[in-house]
Amino acid sequence: MIEPFKSPLYITKPLLPDIYEINEMIKSIWDSNQLTNNAGMVKRLERDLAGFLGADYLSVFSSGTTALEIAYKILRLSGEVITTPFTFAATITSLMWNNLKPVFCDIEEDTLNINPDKIEALITKDTTAIMPVHVFGNPCNAEKIQQIADKYNLSVLYDAAHAFGVKTGGKSVSSFGDVSMLSFHATKVYHTIEGGALVYNKPGLKERADFLRNFGLQDGGNVIEPGINGKLNEVQAAVGILVLKKAEGEIGRRKVLTNLYRELLAEVPGITAGKDLEGVTHNYAYFVIRVDRDIYGLSRDELFDRLREYNVISRKYFYPLCSNFQCCKDILSASRSMLPVANKAAEEVLALPLHGRLTDSDVEKICEIIKYARQKI
Ligand SMILES: Cc1ncc(COP(=O)(O)O)c(C=O)c1O
């Protein structure tokens, strides 16, 4: 008999700065009387992040979604953008909000990322960009994607919302493509409560983006190109500066818990956990499993419900699939028959709780519940 957890075990818990340290930072902001408008904390955060990520050009924004929208402008995107349906809603809705048409490309079975072999067939005269997502922090096949982009003269904008700090072959994933977007939402492995960043791999882009996040205002008050309010404020920047100091420790602890999950679930038939990819430094942002109903005996949805009975709050990530959203019903490429791998993944993938405050025994108990869930313990 397994007792339910006394309080809910959520999928994540935000990494919090030390309360005394944040008080000190807030005091210095109060003393400065400058709460926003690209002041000291934002400038320091941009320097710290650029150093951490090895980025030449980087700006922070009020959210990852705003950062994406500004990226569409600086890359002058129009018409169609080829992307993945297996992503968070913001990837797709931000395109549509900016009158860009998402064109859905199926995904790879193992990485759950856009399948580069399927991209070329989707390119039309209206295509201006490819927007891959490093799903759950697994790096996309950037080399193949870049080859296609070069052949057809397309921009590549990475949605790297999940991939903070991920490296492949010793290189940060944010160095791929023209621009990468990072999300610093409180649920992410690194955060500024709400916030995001763009990492630019070409000179000139940062300057334009920095004008656009401030309504488009130039120094003399003139506007050449209309912008939006996408500024991060000083208090959130201070949180970001302190959370950054803890990011490596958090990732290290998540790695330990991920390995424990993998070890304990290895013997459960029908449950498949991901594995580390060769040459990749992962950030362990999420721990996801796939549930094969025929072998495991319960569907992903049944396991989700069973875990809830034990106060384990897992997440059907990403379900429903973006291409099945009501707002995408008129998009031809959203048809189920064109996206078999993504539709299957959306039915089978489940993200389990993972954060640095989880104990080994929490993970052991979650795995016990999964092991015996079929038998109604
Ligand atoms: C894949 C993906 N893209 C975009 C976003 C949007 O980022 P934000 O919440 O910072 O606006 C998120 C996360 O929230 C995400 O997971």
Side-chain angles (χ1 to χ4, degrees):
M1 170 87 181
I2 301 176
E3 288 294 321
F5 284 96
K6 291 209 165 47
S7 47
L9 235 66
Y10 293 106
I11 182 111
T12 193
K13 237 186 204 178
L15 184 55
L16 293 174
D18 180 277
I19 191 79
Y20 300 104
E21 282 191 82
I22 192 66
N23 277 341
E24 284 298 303
M25 297 281 263
I26 288 175
K27 184 169 180 315
S28 82
I29 297 169
W30 267 218
D31 290 344
S32 77
N33 276 309
Q34 195 168 358
L35 303 183
T36 187
N37 287 359
N38 199 22
M41 292 292 174
V42 161
K43 287 189 174 131
R44 185 171 149 195
L45 177 64
E46 288 186 346
R47 274 196 309 273
D48 290 358
L49 283 169
F52 187 92
L53 298 167
D56 291 331
Y57 314 99
L58 172 151
S59 324
V60 294
F61 299 88
S62 51
S63 73
T65 304
T66 310
L68 274 183
E69 295 185 332
I70 289 178
Y72 303 152
K73 302 290 177 199
I74 58 170
L75 294 172
R76 303 189 194 282
L77 303 192
S78 61
E80 299 178 358
V81 175
I82 298 176
T83 188
T84 168
F86 195 73
T87 183
F88 180 63
T91 317
I92 307 307
T93 55
S94 63
L95 285 171
M96 297 171 90
W97 186 256
N98 287 281
N99 291 323
L100 294 163
K101 182 176 172 186
V103 173
F104 296 110
C105 179
D106 208 2
I107 60 171
E108 296 174 326
E109 184 80 39
D110 49 352
T111 64
L112 304 172
N113 289 331
I114 193 165
N115 185 339
D117 295 336
K118 303 256 167 89
I119 293 176
E120 248 181 300
L122 298 168
I123 296 173
T124 71
K125 62 174 185 14
D126 295 326
T127 311
T128 55
I130 306 170
M131 180 160 61
V133 180
H134 301 296
V135 175
F136 304 135
N138 284 333
C140 294
N141 188 335
E143 208 175 312
K144 261 195 184 169
I145 292 168
Q146 196 59 52
Q147 274 167 11
I148 300 166
D150 290 344
K151 184 169 165 193
Y152 293 91
N153 198 20
L154 304 175
S155 297
V156 183
L157 165 58
Y158 279 98
D159 179 336
H162 295 181
F164 180 83
V166 175
K167 290 185 188 156
T168 172
K171 276 183 77 180
S172 168
V173 292
S174 51
S175 65
F176 301 144
D178 298 297
V179 177
S180 285
M181 177 281 282
L182 296 160
S183 164
F184 300 155
H185 183 256
T187 52
K188 300 292 189 274
V189 68
Y190 167 77
H191 74 95
T192 56
I193 305 177
E194 291 273 2
L198 293 179
V199 177
Y200 319 91
N201 297 313
K202 278 184 187 168
L205 294 176
K206 174 174 166 60
E207 206 186 11
R208 261 185 75 216
D210 287 354
F211 284 126
L212 294 182
R213 78 175 167 187
N214 189 30
F215 316 100
L217 285 169
Q218 307 272 317
D219 284 346
N222 188 21
V223 173
I224 298 169
E225 186 182 0
I228 196 172
N229 183 354
K231 291 174 271 114
L232 191 71
N233 64 57
E234 288 290 281
V235 176
Q236 283 178 251
V239 169
I241 291 166
L242 295 178
V243 172
L244 189 59
K245 293 206 249 169
K246 293 184 150 190
E248 273 180 348
E250 172 74 11
I251 290 170
R253 174 69 187 143
R254 287 178 184 222
K255 180 176 180 173
V256 170
L257 294 170
T258 296
N259 286 333
L260 184 60
Y261 263 128
R262 285 176 179 164
E263 186 192 319
L264 297 173
L265 293 175
E267 57 198 69
V268 184
I271 299 290
T272 315
K275 34 182 195 299
D276 284 358
L277 303 170
E278 217 185 300
V280 175
T281 309
H282 290 273
N283 66 2
Y284 304 96
Y286 301 91
F287 180 75
V288 297
I289 56 172
R290 282 187 80 147
V291 184
D292 182 328
R293 186 179 49 184
D294 294 340
I295 302 173
Y296 178 61
L298 295 177
S299 67
R300 185 275 311 271
D301 290 357
E302 286 166 326
L303 176 59
F304 171 87
D305 291 341
R306 197 61 59 82
L307 285 167
R308 256 194 122 83
E309 290 168 20
Y310 288 88
N311 245 339
V312 178
I313 316 302
S314 59
R315 188 163 171 198
K316 300 174 193 178
Y317 213 35
F318 300 100
Y319 178 86
L321 195 63
C322 293
S323 48
N324 296 331
F325 288 166
Q326 168 88 16
C327 68
C328 295
K329 68 177 181 354
D330 296 330
I331 299 176
L332 274 180
S333 58
S335 137
R336 266 181 172 266
S337 61
M338 289 174 71
L339 304 166
V341 184
N343 274 282
K344 189 159 181 283
E347 302 282 325
E348 292 185 355
V349 171
L350 193 65
L352 300 177
L354 182 67
H355 56 78
R357 269 69 61 218
L358 218 56
T359 65
D360 288 14
S361 66
D362 290 334
V363 169
E364 282 159 10
K365 186 160 157 176
I366 295 169
C367 293
E368 280 292 289
I369 296 167
I370 294 174
K371 207 163 159 185
Y372 295 109
R374 290 162 295 176
Q375 294 153 239
K376 267 257 173 215
I377 339 144

